[in-house]
Amino acid sequence: MAAFEYRQAQEIQAACQRQGVRYLFIGKSGAILLGFPDTTQDAHLFVERSPGNCRALVAALRDVGFALSGDQAKDIERGKDFIQLKNGPFDLDLIFAPDGIERFEDAWQRHVDVEGFPVCHPDDIIASKAATNRQKDRESLPRLRAFREYWLRQR
């Protein structure tokens, strides 16, 4: 399994822009785009759950090279809370209802633009990681919080 790379973010961004998809990078991939010095195995997208946006996302993912099954496309079109895709050029997690964030629109209002990439604010990334309460997320929270403080000072 390869690590998340900047090139993958570029491919996602280009395809989503062509199709008009509203999304945000979230999780460690979002933090990495903000400058967090770590790695992750997959990209994580928080996607606006609306019928038109979900249909556009299916088209964007196919443009990138994901071989979506009929069931996967239906899950995306209905905005299933969490979908893991491992049948494309890289691993991708689609999150329509991340823990710790009430609404996409709220996160969108707080998001940060990083070289054309829409990225969740570090506070939202941290809130989501904290709310999942998984061991690996609990272990990364102190480093993410320290990074947030550094990031805020740099702005």
Side-chain angles (χ1 to χ4, degrees), residues 108-154:
W108 183 262
Q109 293 301 317
R110 294 183 293 265
H111 91 276
V112 179
D113 182 77
V114 178
E115 299 176 12
F117 303 118
V119 181
C120 279
H121 189 279
D123 290 341
D124 285 329
I125 293 170
I126 290 168
S128 178
K129 291 275 184 196
T132 63
N133 202 29
R134 297 181 304 182
Q135 179 66 30
K136 69 179 187 174
D137 292 328
R138 287 193 306 269
E139 290 170 358
S140 68
L141 280 171
R143 290 180 293 115
L144 278 168
R145 288 182 177 121
F147 171 75
R148 175 188 57 198
E149 297 309 313
Y150 166 81
W151 183 82
L152 289 170
R153 284 192 306 273
Q154 300 305 308

mmCIF file of all heavy atoms in Angstrom, residues 108-154:
data_model
loop_
_atom_site.group_PDB
_atom_site.id
_atom_site.type_symbol
_atom_site.label_atom_id
_atom_site.label_comp_id
_atom_site.label_asym_id
_atom_site.label_seq_id
_atom_site.Cartn_x
_atom_site.Cartn_y
_atom_site.Cartn_z
ATOM 1 N N TRP A 108 -17.335 24.010 5.505
ATOM 2 C CA TRP A 108 -16.992 24.784 4.315
ATOM 3 C C TRP A 108 -16.709 26.246 4.691
ATOM 4 O O TRP A 108 -15.782 26.864 4.175
ATOM 5 C CB TRP A 108 -18.106 24.696 3.271
ATOM 6 C CG TRP A 108 -17.739 25.417 2.016
ATOM 7 C CD1 TRP A 108 -18.111 26.686 1.644
ATOM 8 C CD2 TRP A 108 -16.886 24.941 0.979
ATOM 9 N NE1 TRP A 108 -17.549 27.010 0.429
ATOM 10 C CE2 TRP A 108 -16.791 25.952 0.002
ATOM 11 C CE3 TRP A 108 -16.194 23.744 0.773
ATOM 12 C CZ2 TRP A 108 -16.038 25.821 -1.150
ATOM 13 C CZ3 TRP A 108 -15.440 23.613 -0.381
ATOM 14 C CH2 TRP A 108 -15.369 24.636 -1.328
ATOM 15 N N GLN A 109 -17.508 26.792 5.596
ATOM 16 C CA GLN A 109 -17.312 28.182 6.016
ATOM 17 C C GLN A 109 -15.958 28.388 6.696
ATOM 18 O O GLN A 109 -15.380 29.466 6.622
ATOM 19 C CB GLN A 109 -18.437 28.620 6.958
ATOM 20 C CG GLN A 109 -19.793 28.703 6.301
ATOM 21 C CD GLN A 109 -19.826 29.673 5.131
ATOM 22 O OE1 GLN A 109 -19.284 30.764 5.206
ATOM 23 N NE2 GLN A 109 -20.455 29.273 4.038
ATOM 24 N N ARG A 110 -15.446 27.341 7.335
ATOM 25 C CA ARG A 110 -14.172 27.429 8.060
ATOM 26 C C ARG A 110 -12.981 26.944 7.229
ATOM 27 O O ARG A 110 -11.838 27.075 7.672
ATOM 28 C CB ARG A 110 -14.247 26.584 9.341
ATOM 29 C CG ARG A 110 -15.235 27.083 10.371
ATOM 30 C CD ARG A 110 -15.190 26.230 11.630
ATOM 31 N NE ARG A 110 -15.662 24.867 11.430
ATOM 32 C CZ ARG A 110 -16.897 24.438 11.657
ATOM 33 N NH1 ARG A 110 -17.830 25.291 12.068
ATOM 34 N NH2 ARG A 110 -17.229 23.183 11.470
ATOM 35 N N HIS A 111 -13.206 26.358 6.081
ATOM 36 C CA HIS A 111 -12.141 25.668 5.359
ATOM 37 C C HIS A 111 -11.012 26.610 4.937
ATOM 38 O O HIS A 111 -11.161 27.827 4.919
ATOM 39 C CB HIS A 111 -12.695 24.889 4.163
ATOM 40 C CG HIS A 111 -12.743 25.646 2.874
ATOM 41 N ND1 HIS A 111 -13.784 26.476 2.537
ATOM 42 C CD2 HIS A 111 -11.874 25.679 1.836
ATOM 43 C CE1 HIS A 111 -13.567 26.988 1.345
ATOM 44 N NE2 HIS A 111 -12.396 26.528 0.888
ATOM 45 N N VAL A 112 -9.903 26.006 4.600
ATOM 46 C CA VAL A 112 -8.695 26.715 4.189
ATOM 47 C C VAL A 112 -8.388 26.299 2.753
ATOM 48 O O VAL A 112 -8.479 25.120 2.411
ATOM 49 C CB VAL A 112 -7.509 26.314 5.107
ATOM 50 C CG1 VAL A 112 -6.241 27.024 4.689
ATOM 51 C CG2 VAL A 112 -7.846 26.577 6.562
ATOM 52 N N ASP A 113 -8.017 27.268 1.933
ATOM 53 C CA ASP A 113 -7.594 26.970 0.575
ATOM 54 C C ASP A 113 -6.073 26.865 0.576
ATOM 55 O O ASP A 113 -5.377 27.806 0.964
ATOM 56 C CB ASP A 113 -8.047 28.076 -0.377
ATOM 57 C CG ASP A 113 -7.659 27.763 -1.804
ATOM 58 O OD1 ASP A 113 -8.337 26.926 -2.421
ATOM 59 O OD2 ASP A 113 -6.666 28.348 -2.291
ATOM 60 N N VAL A 114 -5.553 25.709 0.170
ATOM 61 C CA VAL A 114 -4.110 25.472 0.122
ATOM 62 C C VAL A 114 -3.746 25.149 -1.325
ATOM 63 O O VAL A 114 -4.040 24.049 -1.805
ATOM 64 C CB VAL A 114 -3.686 24.304 1.051
ATOM 65 C CG1 VAL A 114 -2.195 24.058 0.951
ATOM 66 C CG2 VAL A 114 -4.116 24.551 2.481
ATOM 67 N N GLU A 115 -3.189 26.107 -2.020
ATOM 68 C CA GLU A 115 -2.781 25.911 -3.407
ATOM 69 C C GLU A 115 -3.906 25.344 -4.275
ATOM 70 O O GLU A 115 -3.685 24.481 -5.120
ATOM 71 C CB GLU A 115 -1.546 25.013 -3.480
ATOM 72 C CG GLU A 115 -0.341 25.575 -2.773
ATOM 73 C CD GLU A 115 0.853 24.639 -2.773
ATOM 74 O OE1 GLU A 115 0.844 23.631 -3.507
ATOM 75 O OE2 GLU A 115 1.806 24.929 -2.042
ATOM 76 N N GLY A 116 -5.127 25.817 -4.041
ATOM 77 C CA GLY A 116 -6.281 25.356 -4.803
ATOM 78 C C GLY A 116 -6.980 24.138 -4.220
ATOM 79 O O GLY A 116 -8.016 23.727 -4.721
ATOM 80 N N PHE A 117 -6.426 23.566 -3.167
ATOM 81 C CA PHE A 117 -7.055 22.411 -2.507
ATOM 82 C C PHE A 117 -7.946 22.910 -1.379
ATOM 83 O O PHE A 117 -7.465 23.603 -0.482
ATOM 84 C CB PHE A 117 -6.010 21.457 -1.913
ATOM 85 C CG PHE A 117 -5.017 20.930 -2.894
ATOM 86 C CD1 PHE A 117 -3.677 21.219 -2.745
ATOM 87 C CD2 PHE A 117 -5.411 20.144 -3.959
ATOM 88 C CE1 PHE A 117 -2.739 20.727 -3.646
ATOM 89 C CE2 PHE A 117 -4.491 19.646 -4.871
ATOM 90 C CZ PHE A 117 -3.149 19.948 -4.712
ATOM 91 N N PRO A 118 -9.234 22.551 -1.383
ATOM 92 C CA PRO A 118 -10.089 22.907 -0.257
ATOM 93 C C PRO A 118 -9.841 21.926 0.901
ATOM 94 O O PRO A 118 -10.026 20.722 0.746
ATOM 95 C CB PRO A 118 -11.508 22.762 -0.828
ATOM 96 C CG PRO A 118 -11.368 21.742 -1.922
ATOM 97 C CD PRO A 118 -9.968 21.876 -2.454
ATOM 98 N N VAL A 119 -9.388 22.450 2.034
ATOM 99 C CA VAL A 119 -8.979 21.614 3.161
ATOM 100 C C VAL A 119 -9.751 22.025 4.408
ATOM 101 O O VAL A 119 -9.909 23.230 4.675
ATOM 102 C CB VAL A 119 -7.463 21.752 3.418
ATOM 103 C CG1 VAL A 119 -7.014 20.868 4.568
ATOM 104 C CG2 VAL A 119 -6.667 21.426 2.157
ATOM 105 N N CYS A 120 -10.202 21.057 5.164
ATOM 106 C CA CYS A 120 -10.847 21.352 6.434
ATOM 107 C C CYS A 120 -9.889 22.141 7.325
ATOM 108 O O CYS A 120 -8.670 21.915 7.306
ATOM 109 C CB CYS A 120 -11.239 20.064 7.164
ATOM 110 S SG CYS A 120 -12.765 19.321 6.587
ATOM 111 N N HIS A 121 -10.439 23.030 8.101
ATOM 112 C CA HIS A 121 -9.655 23.775 9.088
ATOM 113 C C HIS A 121 -9.055 22.770 10.075
ATOM 114 O O HIS A 121 -9.681 21.741 10.368
ATOM 115 C CB HIS A 121 -10.561 24.768 9.821
ATOM 116 C CG HIS A 121 -9.822 25.718 10.679
ATOM 117 N ND1 HIS A 121 -9.376 25.378 11.934
ATOM 118 C CD2 HIS A 121 -9.437 26.999 10.451
ATOM 119 C CE1 HIS A 121 -8.748 26.415 12.459
ATOM 120 N NE2 HIS A 121 -8.764 27.411 11.582
ATOM 121 N N PRO A 122 -7.862 23.037 10.578
ATOM 122 C CA PRO A 122 -7.270 22.099 11.549
ATOM 123 C C PRO A 122 -8.184 21.787 12.737
ATOM 124 O O PRO A 122 -8.179 20.659 13.231
ATOM 125 C CB PRO A 122 -5.998 22.819 12.009
ATOM 126 C CG PRO A 122 -5.661 23.756 10.909
ATOM 127 C CD PRO A 122 -6.961 24.146 10.266
ATOM 128 N N ASP A 123 -8.984 22.755 13.171
ATOM 129 C CA ASP A 123 -9.912 22.491 14.277
ATOM 130 C C ASP A 123 -10.917 21.404 13.915
ATOM 131 O O ASP A 123 -11.276 20.574 14.749
ATOM 132 C CB ASP A 123 -10.651 23.764 14.688
ATOM 133 C CG ASP A 123 -9.754 24.776 15.381
ATOM 134 O OD1 ASP A 123 -8.667 24.394 15.880
ATOM 135 O OD2 ASP A 123 -10.137 25.961 15.421
ATOM 136 N N ASP A 124 -11.374 21.399 12.658
ATOM 137 C CA ASP A 124 -12.323 20.368 12.226
ATOM 138 C C ASP A 124 -11.635 19.017 12.074
ATOM 139 O O ASP A 124 -12.215 17.979 12.405
ATOM 140 C CB ASP A 124 -13.008 20.771 10.916
ATOM 141 C CG ASP A 124 -14.055 21.855 11.123
ATOM 142 O OD1 ASP A 124 -14.673 21.891 12.208
ATOM 143 O OD2 ASP A 124 -14.258 22.654 10.200
ATOM 144 N N ILE A 125 -10.406 19.019 11.579
ATOM 145 C CA ILE A 125 -9.661 17.759 11.475
ATOM 146 C C ILE A 125 -9.480 17.157 12.868
ATOM 147 O O ILE A 125 -9.716 15.967 13.089
ATOM 148 C CB ILE A 125 -8.308 17.977 10.761
ATOM 149 C CG1 ILE A 125 -8.544 18.345 9.288
ATOM 150 C CG2 ILE A 125 -7.426 16.736 10.885
ATOM 151 C CD1 ILE A 125 -7.307 18.804 8.539
ATOM 152 N N ILE A 126 -9.113 17.988 13.821
ATOM 153 C CA ILE A 126 -8.907 17.528 15.197
ATOM 154 C C ILE A 126 -10.222 17.074 15.811
ATOM 155 O O ILE A 126 -10.277 16.020 16.460
ATOM 156 C CB ILE A 126 -8.232 18.633 16.029
ATOM 157 C CG1 ILE A 126 -6.780 18.791 15.555
ATOM 158 C CG2 ILE A 126 -8.305 18.325 17.521
ATOM 159 C CD1 ILE A 126 -6.081 20.035 16.073
ATOM 160 N N ALA A 127 -11.290 17.836 15.618
ATOM 161 C CA ALA A 127 -12.596 17.456 16.174
ATOM 162 C C ALA A 127 -13.041 16.101 15.641
ATOM 163 O O ALA A 127 -13.557 15.262 16.384
ATOM 164 C CB ALA A 127 -13.639 18.527 15.850
ATOM 165 N N SER A 128 -12.821 15.871 14.357
ATOM 166 C CA SER A 128 -13.209 14.601 13.756
ATOM 167 C C SER A 128 -12.373 13.456 14.307
ATOM 168 O O SER A 128 -12.905 12.390 14.658
ATOM 169 C CB SER A 128 -13.062 14.697 12.230
ATOM 170 O OG SER A 128 -13.381 13.480 11.630
ATOM 171 N N LYS A 129 -11.059 13.662 14.395
ATOM 172 C CA LYS A 129 -10.183 12.615 14.947
ATOM 173 C C LYS A 129 -10.556 12.307 16.398
ATOM 174 O O LYS A 129 -10.593 11.148 16.802
ATOM 175 C CB LYS A 129 -8.712 13.045 14.870
ATOM 176 C CG LYS A 129 -8.160 13.103 13.474
ATOM 177 C CD LYS A 129 -7.688 11.753 13.064
ATOM 178 C CE LYS A 129 -7.037 11.775 11.700
ATOM 179 N NZ LYS A 129 -6.934 10.439 11.159
ATOM 180 N N ALA A 130 -10.817 13.345 17.181
ATOM 181 C CA ALA A 130 -11.156 13.148 18.595
ATOM 182 C C ALA A 130 -12.482 12.398 18.737
ATOM 183 O O ALA A 130 -12.623 11.526 19.605
ATOM 184 C CB ALA A 130 -11.222 14.489 19.317
ATOM 185 N N ALA A 131 -13.438 12.718 17.877
ATOM 186 C CA ALA A 131 -14.765 12.104 17.983
ATOM 187 C C ALA A 131 -14.769 10.633 17.579
ATOM 188 O O ALA A 131 -15.595 9.860 18.067
ATOM 189 C CB ALA A 131 -15.773 12.883 17.136
ATOM 190 N N THR A 132 -13.855 10.220 16.708
ATOM 191 C CA THR A 132 -13.833 8.814 16.309
ATOM 192 C C THR A 132 -13.408 7.926 17.465
ATOM 193 O O THR A 132 -13.816 6.779 17.554
ATOM 194 C CB THR A 132 -12.880 8.551 15.122
ATOM 195 O OG1 THR A 132 -11.553 8.867 15.516
ATOM 196 C CG2 THR A 132 -13.289 9.316 13.892
ATOM 197 N N ASN A 133 -12.537 8.477 18.315
ATOM 198 C CA ASN A 133 -12.066 7.772 19.516
ATOM 199 C C ASN A 133 -11.352 6.454 19.201
ATOM 200 O O ASN A 133 -11.344 5.542 20.009
ATOM 201 C CB ASN A 133 -13.210 7.558 20.511
ATOM 202 C CG ASN A 133 -12.685 7.331 21.916
ATOM 203 O OD1 ASN A 133 -11.623 7.830 22.288
ATOM 204 N ND2 ASN A 133 -13.419 6.574 22.688
ATOM 205 N N ARG A 134 -10.748 6.363 18.019
ATOM 206 C CA ARG A 134 -9.937 5.187 17.697
ATOM 207 C C ARG A 134 -8.556 5.363 18.322
ATOM 208 O O ARG A 134 -8.044 6.484 18.400
ATOM 209 C CB ARG A 134 -9.792 5.007 16.186
ATOM 210 C CG ARG A 134 -11.100 4.740 15.480
ATOM 211 C CD ARG A 134 -10.907 4.546 13.997
ATOM 212 N NE ARG A 134 -10.212 5.705 13.409
ATOM 213 C CZ ARG A 134 -9.938 5.835 12.127
ATOM 214 N NH1 ARG A 134 -10.275 4.899 11.270
ATOM 215 N NH2 ARG A 134 -9.317 6.909 11.667
ATOM 216 N N GLN A 135 -7.933 4.272 18.686
ATOM 217 C CA GLN A 135 -6.617 4.325 19.323
ATOM 218 C C GLN A 135 -5.609 5.098 18.478
ATOM 219 O O GLN A 135 -4.909 5.975 18.986
ATOM 220 C CB GLN A 135 -6.107 2.902 19.597
ATOM 221 C CG GLN A 135 -4.727 2.852 20.228
ATOM 222 C CD GLN A 135 -4.690 3.422 21.630
ATOM 223 O OE1 GLN A 135 -5.663 3.358 22.359
ATOM 224 N NE2 GLN A 135 -3.566 4.008 21.996
ATOM 225 N N LYS A 136 -5.538 4.800 17.186
ATOM 226 C CA LYS A 136 -4.548 5.479 16.345
ATOM 227 C C LYS A 136 -4.820 6.977 16.252
ATOM 228 O O LYS A 136 -3.890 7.769 16.134
ATOM 229 C CB LYS A 136 -4.452 4.838 14.963
ATOM 230 C CG LYS A 136 -5.654 5.018 14.071
ATOM 231 C CD LYS A 136 -5.398 4.357 12.727
ATOM 232 C CE LYS A 136 -6.503 4.657 11.753
ATOM 233 N NZ LYS A 136 -6.200 4.140 10.420
ATOM 234 N N ASP A 137 -6.094 7.365 16.311
ATOM 235 C CA ASP A 137 -6.415 8.786 16.279
ATOM 236 C C ASP A 137 -6.080 9.452 17.610
ATOM 237 O O ASP A 137 -5.567 10.573 17.635
ATOM 238 C CB ASP A 137 -7.890 8.997 15.932
ATOM 239 C CG ASP A 137 -8.196 8.594 14.499
ATOM 240 O OD1 ASP A 137 -7.307 8.744 13.636
ATOM 241 O OD2 ASP A 137 -9.306 8.120 14.239
ATOM 242 N N ARG A 138 -6.357 8.775 18.708
ATOM 243 C CA ARG A 138 -5.999 9.322 20.027
ATOM 244 C C ARG A 138 -4.490 9.543 20.122
ATOM 245 O O ARG A 138 -4.045 10.532 20.692
ATOM 246 C CB ARG A 138 -6.477 8.402 21.153
ATOM 247 C CG ARG A 138 -7.985 8.428 21.375
ATOM 248 C CD ARG A 138 -8.396 7.758 22.676
ATOM 249 N NE ARG A 138 -7.901 6.402 22.814
ATOM 250 C CZ ARG A 138 -8.543 5.301 22.434
ATOM 251 N NH1 ARG A 138 -9.736 5.401 21.877
ATOM 252 N NH2 ARG A 138 -8.023 4.111 22.606
ATOM 253 N N GLU A 139 -3.723 8.628 19.536
ATOM 254 C CA GLU A 139 -2.267 8.752 19.583
ATOM 255 C C GLU A 139 -1.765 9.935 18.753
ATOM 256 O O GLU A 139 -0.755 10.545 19.091
ATOM 257 C CB GLU A 139 -1.614 7.463 19.099
ATOM 258 C CG GLU A 139 -1.793 6.310 20.067
ATOM 259 C CD GLU A 139 -1.366 4.971 19.494
ATOM 260 O OE1 GLU A 139 -0.956 4.910 18.308
ATOM 261 O OE2 GLU A 139 -1.456 3.972 20.234
ATOM 262 N N SER A 140 -2.444 10.271 17.669
ATOM 263 C CA SER A 140 -1.988 11.375 16.820
ATOM 264 C C SER A 140 -2.504 12.741 17.281
ATOM 265 O O SER A 140 -1.980 13.775 16.845
ATOM 266 C CB SER A 140 -2.383 11.137 15.356
ATOM 267 O OG SER A 140 -3.769 11.220 15.185
ATOM 268 N N LEU A 141 -3.485 12.774 18.175
ATOM 269 C CA LEU A 141 -4.074 14.054 18.576
ATOM 270 C C LEU A 141 -3.084 15.028 19.209
ATOM 271 O O LEU A 141 -3.113 16.221 18.855
ATOM 272 C CB LEU A 141 -5.277 13.830 19.503
ATOM 273 C CG LEU A 141 -6.563 13.452 18.782
ATOM 274 C CD1 LEU A 141 -7.644 13.034 19.778
ATOM 275 C CD2 LEU A 141 -7.053 14.592 17.906
ATOM 276 N N PRO A 142 -2.201 14.615 20.107
ATOM 277 C CA PRO A 142 -1.257 15.606 20.659
ATOM 278 C C PRO A 142 -0.387 16.260 19.587
ATOM 279 O O PRO A 142 -0.155 17.471 19.610
ATOM 280 C CB PRO A 142 -0.409 14.785 21.641
ATOM 281 C CG PRO A 142 -1.277 13.640 22.028
ATOM 282 C CD PRO A 142 -2.081 13.323 20.788
ATOM 283 N N ARG A 143 0.064 15.473 18.602
ATOM 284 C CA ARG A 143 0.870 16.039 17.521
ATOM 285 C C ARG A 143 0.043 16.956 16.626
ATOM 286 O O ARG A 143 0.516 18.006 16.192
ATOM 287 C CB ARG A 143 1.524 14.928 16.702
ATOM 288 C CG ARG A 143 2.622 14.209 17.473
ATOM 289 C CD ARG A 143 3.303 13.093 16.701
ATOM 290 N NE ARG A 143 2.371 11.985 16.464
ATOM 291 C CZ ARG A 143 1.943 11.591 15.272
ATOM 292 N NH1 ARG A 143 2.384 12.149 14.189
ATOM 293 N NH2 ARG A 143 1.084 10.604 15.154
ATOM 294 N N LEU A 144 -1.203 16.566 16.362
ATOM 295 C CA LEU A 144 -2.078 17.424 15.556
ATOM 296 C C LEU A 144 -2.380 18.735 16.276
ATOM 297 O O LEU A 144 -2.395 19.799 15.649
ATOM 298 C CB LEU A 144 -3.386 16.695 15.226
ATOM 299 C CG LEU A 144 -3.327 15.736 14.052
ATOM 300 C CD1 LEU A 144 -4.583 14.868 14.015
ATOM 301 C CD2 LEU A 144 -3.171 16.485 12.734
ATOM 302 N N ARG A 145 -2.606 18.660 17.566
ATOM 303 C CA ARG A 145 -2.878 19.889 18.334
ATOM 304 C C ARG A 145 -1.654 20.804 18.355
ATOM 305 O O ARG A 145 -1.781 22.024 18.221
ATOM 306 C CB ARG A 145 -3.340 19.534 19.744
ATOM 307 C CG ARG A 145 -4.743 18.960 19.758
ATOM 308 C CD ARG A 145 -5.233 18.653 21.168
ATOM 309 N NE ARG A 145 -6.596 18.183 21.125
ATOM 310 C CZ ARG A 145 -6.994 16.990 21.589
ATOM 311 N NH1 ARG A 145 -6.131 16.168 22.160
ATOM 312 N NH2 ARG A 145 -8.264 16.636 21.503
ATOM 313 N N ALA A 146 -0.466 20.229 18.522
ATOM 314 C CA ALA A 146 0.759 21.029 18.487
ATOM 315 C C ALA A 146 0.945 21.648 17.104
ATOM 316 O O ALA A 146 1.329 22.823 16.986
ATOM 317 C CB ALA A 146 1.963 20.170 18.866
ATOM 318 N N PHE A 147 0.656 20.878 16.057
ATOM 319 C CA PHE A 147 0.752 21.410 14.702
ATOM 320 C C PHE A 147 -0.236 22.560 14.512
ATOM 321 O O PHE A 147 0.109 23.587 13.905
ATOM 322 C CB PHE A 147 0.502 20.323 13.651
ATOM 323 C CG PHE A 147 0.381 20.878 12.269
ATOM 324 C CD1 PHE A 147 1.500 21.310 11.579
ATOM 325 C CD2 PHE A 147 -0.865 21.020 11.665
ATOM 326 C CE1 PHE A 147 1.396 21.873 10.313
ATOM 327 C CE2 PHE A 147 -0.982 21.576 10.400
ATOM 328 C CZ PHE A 147 0.150 22.000 9.724
ATOM 329 N N ARG A 148 -1.470 22.401 14.997
ATOM 330 C CA ARG A 148 -2.471 23.475 14.860
ATOM 331 C C ARG A 148 -1.929 24.770 15.463
ATOM 332 O O ARG A 148 -2.068 25.842 14.870
ATOM 333 C CB ARG A 148 -3.780 23.091 15.527
ATOM 334 C CG ARG A 148 -4.793 24.253 15.508
ATOM 335 C CD ARG A 148 -6.024 23.990 16.325
ATOM 336 N NE ARG A 148 -5.620 23.688 17.686
ATOM 337 C CZ ARG A 148 -6.403 23.091 18.576
ATOM 338 N NH1 ARG A 148 -7.610 22.722 18.262
ATOM 339 N NH2 ARG A 148 -5.967 22.866 19.794
ATOM 340 N N GLU A 149 -1.321 24.698 16.641
ATOM 341 C CA GLU A 149 -0.785 25.903 17.286
ATOM 342 C C GLU A 149 0.316 26.524 16.428
ATOM 343 O O GLU A 149 0.350 27.743 16.238
ATOM 344 C CB GLU A 149 -0.270 25.577 18.691
ATOM 345 C CG GLU A 149 -1.358 25.099 19.642
ATOM 346 C CD GLU A 149 -2.569 26.014 19.674
ATOM 347 O OE1 GLU A 149 -2.395 27.248 19.786
ATOM 348 O OE2 GLU A 149 -3.705 25.494 19.566
ATOM 349 N N TYR A 150 1.197 25.700 15.897
ATOM 350 C CA TYR A 150 2.242 26.182 15.002
ATOM 351 C C TYR A 150 1.614 26.823 13.760
ATOM 352 O O TYR A 150 1.984 27.931 13.348
ATOM 353 C CB TYR A 150 3.156 25.018 14.599
ATOM 354 C CG TYR A 150 4.055 25.336 13.439
ATOM 355 C CD1 TYR A 150 5.230 26.054 13.615
ATOM 356 C CD2 TYR A 150 3.716 24.917 12.151
ATOM 357 C CE1 TYR A 150 6.057 26.367 12.537
ATOM 358 C CE2 TYR A 150 4.530 25.223 11.070
ATOM 359 C CZ TYR A 150 5.691 25.938 11.269
ATOM 360 O OH TYR A 150 6.487 26.245 10.199
ATOM 361 N N TRP A 151 0.659 26.138 13.159
ATOM 362 C CA TRP A 151 0.010 26.605 11.926
ATOM 363 C C TRP A 151 -0.665 27.955 12.167
ATOM 364 O O TRP A 151 -0.558 28.867 11.353
ATOM 365 C CB TRP A 151 -0.987 25.540 11.478
ATOM 366 C CG TRP A 151 -1.693 25.831 10.200
ATOM 367 C CD1 TRP A 151 -1.234 25.613 8.940
ATOM 368 C CD2 TRP A 151 -3.003 26.396 10.056
ATOM 369 N NE1 TRP A 151 -2.178 26.000 8.024
ATOM 370 C CE2 TRP A 151 -3.269 26.486 8.689
ATOM 371 C CE3 TRP A 151 -3.966 26.819 10.970
ATOM 372 C CZ2 TRP A 151 -4.459 26.991 8.192
ATOM 373 C CZ3 TRP A 151 -5.166 27.323 10.481
ATOM 374 C CH2 TRP A 151 -5.393 27.410 9.111
ATOM 375 N N LEU A 152 -1.364 28.085 13.290
ATOM 376 C CA LEU A 152 -2.047 29.349 13.600
ATOM 377 C C LEU A 152 -1.038 30.490 13.775
ATOM 378 O O LEU A 152 -1.293 31.607 13.330
ATOM 379 C CB LEU A 152 -2.908 29.199 14.849
ATOM 380 C CG LEU A 152 -4.170 28.347 14.685
ATOM 381 C CD1 LEU A 152 -4.812 28.074 16.036
ATOM 382 C CD2 LEU A 152 -5.155 28.990 13.729
ATOM 383 N N ARG A 153 0.101 30.220 14.402
ATOM 384 C CA ARG A 153 1.132 31.248 14.582
ATOM 385 C C ARG A 153 1.705 31.691 13.233
ATOM 386 O O ARG A 153 2.064 32.854 13.063
ATOM 387 C CB ARG A 153 2.263 30.756 15.488
ATOM 388 C CG ARG A 153 1.912 30.722 16.953
ATOM 389 C CD ARG A 153 3.134 30.507 17.829
ATOM 390 N NE ARG A 153 3.929 29.340 17.471
ATOM 391 C CZ ARG A 153 3.726 28.092 17.913
ATOM 392 N NH1 ARG A 153 2.737 27.861 18.750
ATOM 393 N NH2 ARG A 153 4.505 27.115 17.528
ATOM 394 N N GLN A 154 1.796 30.765 12.283
ATOM 395 C CA GLN A 154 2.369 31.084 10.977
ATOM 396 C C GLN A 154 1.432 31.908 10.100
ATOM 397 O O GLN A 154 1.878 32.526 9.144
ATOM 398 C CB GLN A 154 2.765 29.788 10.237
ATOM 399 C CG GLN A 154 3.786 28.956 10.952
ATOM 400 C CD GLN A 154 5.032 29.743 11.291
ATOM 401 O OE1 GLN A 154 5.625 30.387 10.435
ATOM 402 N NE2 GLN A 154 5.418 29.728 12.546
#
